[in-house]
Amino acid sequence: MTVKTLILAAGQGTRMRSALPKVLHKVANRSLLQHVYDTSKQIDENDIIIIYGHGGELVKQTLSELDAQWVEQKEQLGTGHAVLQADSLIEKKDTILILYGDVPLLSKQSIDTLLANVTQQSLALLTVKLGSPTGYGRIVRTHSGDVLKIVEQKDATEQEQLINEVNTGILAVKGEQLKNWVSRIDNSNAQQELYLTDVIEMAVNDGIVIKTSQPESIDEVLGVNNRKQLSHLERVYQAAQADKLMELGVTLLDPARVDCRGSFASLGQDISVDINVIFEGENTLGNNVKIGANTIINNSVIADNVEILANCIIDNAVVGAGSRIGPFARLRPQAELSEQVHIGNFVEIKKSTVAKGSKINHLSYIGDATIGSQVNIGAGTITCNYDGVNKARTVIKDGAFIGSDTQLIAPVTVGKNATIGAGSTITKNTPDEQLTLTRSKQISIQSWQRPVKKEQ
Ligand code: UD1
Ligand code: CA
């Protein structure tokens, strides 16, 4: 079965009060339209057509990577008019799935049900029962329960307004039938729009059965019209992510205070996550990883038995097994730590490798460096990797001991098992095994007297 998915995304979204087109607003750091696209992409043999309008050029530019056809709806004359814009792309043999670009959480399961319900003799429609149905199109049924038509809020009689089963707008239908019906829609209604919903009554008149199904949760079919609804769907999405993590065996100290704005390439056993942790991009977490409060982990690989203490930022980095990071540490892109490495508070590491068992425990900047195994870097050490124009590398060989408050002026190499005296400024390579220091000699002045405050 070839499916063509039409994503209606031309609406203005005035109530967002935003310079950004509505469908570019994000849930879990992914645009609303991207969510809809990603879900429909899971259907086999599916061609995606996006109907765009208001601010559409920006939508197209921002999401230019999507494997979809873009069709412009210059004026927003209604959902039926939106579908008409794609008429030349719809073939009679296609199965057409209609989705909304501002309804991000629809599940694949709900789509599968719709696609299973559509045949030459039946149209599939997703409906939902709402406590307060105001604003939605109502599903009008016969006494025996067959769907007759959809009436929009503004066209509904008082009797019809009491109906609490509403149209979600999401449906599936055969291309041949849709083309026929859509060409006959007119705008003789309260809003003088071309209503896609008119096809329901046309279908019934043609002897087509309307097969309705319901989503597992109402949140699946909620659209975003304002910031409040956007934040509601963000929380719904995050709650589902947290549930998934717990099902996979992750301990969350508070499932309401962890946010996943991405995915996991893999998750080990017995991971524990404290509050206010944010995961972004694609992360890998090994067995027994412990993550402290207020930590952000982005696109990183964290191996088994790593402990990340509170308030760390780990960005595009690799942390080897058994390492301990933080509190208050920052690993920047291309920081690659081997096993049993210790990184302490106020340490920043960028584009550097640190081999097994090395320790950088306090207040240091390590950039563009290659650090061997069992190296100890004292507090306040800085690799001076930038001369204002170019970057240069620092190499520190196995077993070296760097005294506190040392500046290593790159390019420079510290030898194997070398010791650098505290407070040194190292500008030349230092030999293996020896003590190197650049301190001036300490002197004491016996006759020195403290200055005395002058009389005014
Ligand atoms: C529509 C349905 C209504 C249903 C409701 C569910 C019609 C006539 N009514 O209402 O029965 O209960 O959705 O939310 O279909 N769009 C375009 N071009 C347009 C108009 C809309 O692309 O000219 C897009 C919007 O961007 C949005 C979707 O279609 O994604 C629905 O439009 P919206 O105005 O929110 O729906 P309603 O017409 O209020
Ligand atoms: Ca709407």
Side-chain angles (χ1 to χ4, degrees), residues 107-406:
S107 72
K108 166 79 168 31
Q109 193 192 324
S110 293
I111 293 176
D112 286 343
T113 307
L114 286 172
L115 294 178
N117 280 347
V118 57
T119 68
Q120 293 294 343
Q121 289 79 40
S122 60
L123 179 153
L125 181 66
L126 193 67
T127 72
V128 74
K129 284 193 176 160
L130 294 180
S132 40
T134 309
Y136 290 87
R138 308 296 208 284
I139 308 295
V140 181
R141 291 180 184 267
T142 61
H143 286 301
S144 51
D146 299 330
V147 175
L148 266 182
K149 60 175 179 177
I150 296 176
V151 338
E152 292 303 301
Q153 170 79 30
K154 289 185 177 145
D155 302 290
T157 63
E158 262 177 48
Q159 199 66 26
E160 287 166 339
Q161 285 184 22
L162 297 175
I163 300 170
N164 70 350
E165 185 186 10
V166 305
N167 174 31
T168 65
I170 291 156
L171 59 89
V173 57
K174 286 292 171 191
E176 181 170 10
Q177 297 167 352
L178 183 68
K179 286 170 87 75
N180 172 8
W181 298 326
V182 164
S183 70
R184 288 159 36 206
I185 295 176
D186 64 37
N187 68 351
S188 54
N189 53 56
Q191 302 183 83
Q192 299 193 325
E193 282 185 3
L194 299 180
Y195 289 167
L196 180 61
T197 44
D198 284 358
V199 306
I200 302 299
E201 194 173 7
M202 294 176 182
V204 172
N205 290 339
D206 285 352
I208 303 294
V209 177
I210 312 299
K211 284 196 182 166
T212 56
S213 54
Q214 283 72 41
E216 201 176 277
S217 149
I218 288 173
D219 294 321
E220 273 191 40
V221 295
L222 293 183
V224 173
N225 296 306
N226 57 42
R227 310 264 180 170
K228 203 175 161 190
Q229 291 167 338
L230 183 67
S231 78
H232 172 72
L233 291 187
E234 177 77 33
R235 292 336 304 162
V236 167
Y237 182 87
Q238 292 302 343
Q241 296 291 295
D243 279 354
K244 226 183 275 173
L245 286 178
M246 291 186 290
E247 274 164 30
L248 290 168
V250 176
T251 293
L252 301 177
L253 273 81
D254 182 353
R257 284 184 290 173
V258 60
D259 280 29
C260 301
R261 301 172 189 160
S263 59
F264 293 95
S266 80
L267 281 170
Q269 244 185 348
D270 296 310
I271 293 165
S272 157
V273 180
D274 209 328
I275 62 169
N276 296 335
V277 171
I278 301 175
F279 295 103
E280 293 174 332
E282 190 184 74
N283 290 300
T284 297
L285 304 179
N287 296 321
N288 303 310
V289 167
K290 269 207 177 99
I291 303 172
N294 310 319
T295 286
I296 301 175
I297 303 181
N298 179 32
N299 272 323
S300 294
V301 176
I302 316 291
D304 294 347
N305 304 312
V306 166
E307 185 171 11
I308 298 166
L309 301 168
N311 300 299
C312 291
I313 296 183
I314 299 180
D315 180 13
N316 282 281
V318 176
V319 181
S323 293
R324 196 184 68 214
I325 314 296
F328 295 101
R330 180 175 181 205
L331 303 183
R332 290 172 53 199
Q334 296 178 54
E336 290 186 20
L337 316 183
S338 183
E339 293 161 40
Q340 316 280 333
V341 167
H342 288 185
I343 304 296
N345 42 209
F346 308 108
V347 172
E348 172 181 347
I349 302 196
K350 184 215 81 170
K351 209 174 181 180
S352 297
T353 57
V354 181
K356 187 171 176 178
S358 290
K359 297 185 171 111
I360 311 165
N361 274 330
H362 329 266
L363 300 142
S364 288
Y365 173 63
I366 303 296
D368 303 296
T370 304
I371 296 177
S373 63
Q374 306 299 332
V375 167
N376 193 317
I377 295 190
T381 297
I382 296 171
T383 53
C384 304
N385 59 331
Y386 186 52
D387 60 11
V389 186
N390 295 305
K391 298 269 170 71
R393 289 200 76 79
T394 299
V395 177
I396 301 176
K397 295 198 171 160
D398 296 348
F401 181 97
I402 313 293
S404 297
D405 194 25
T406 292

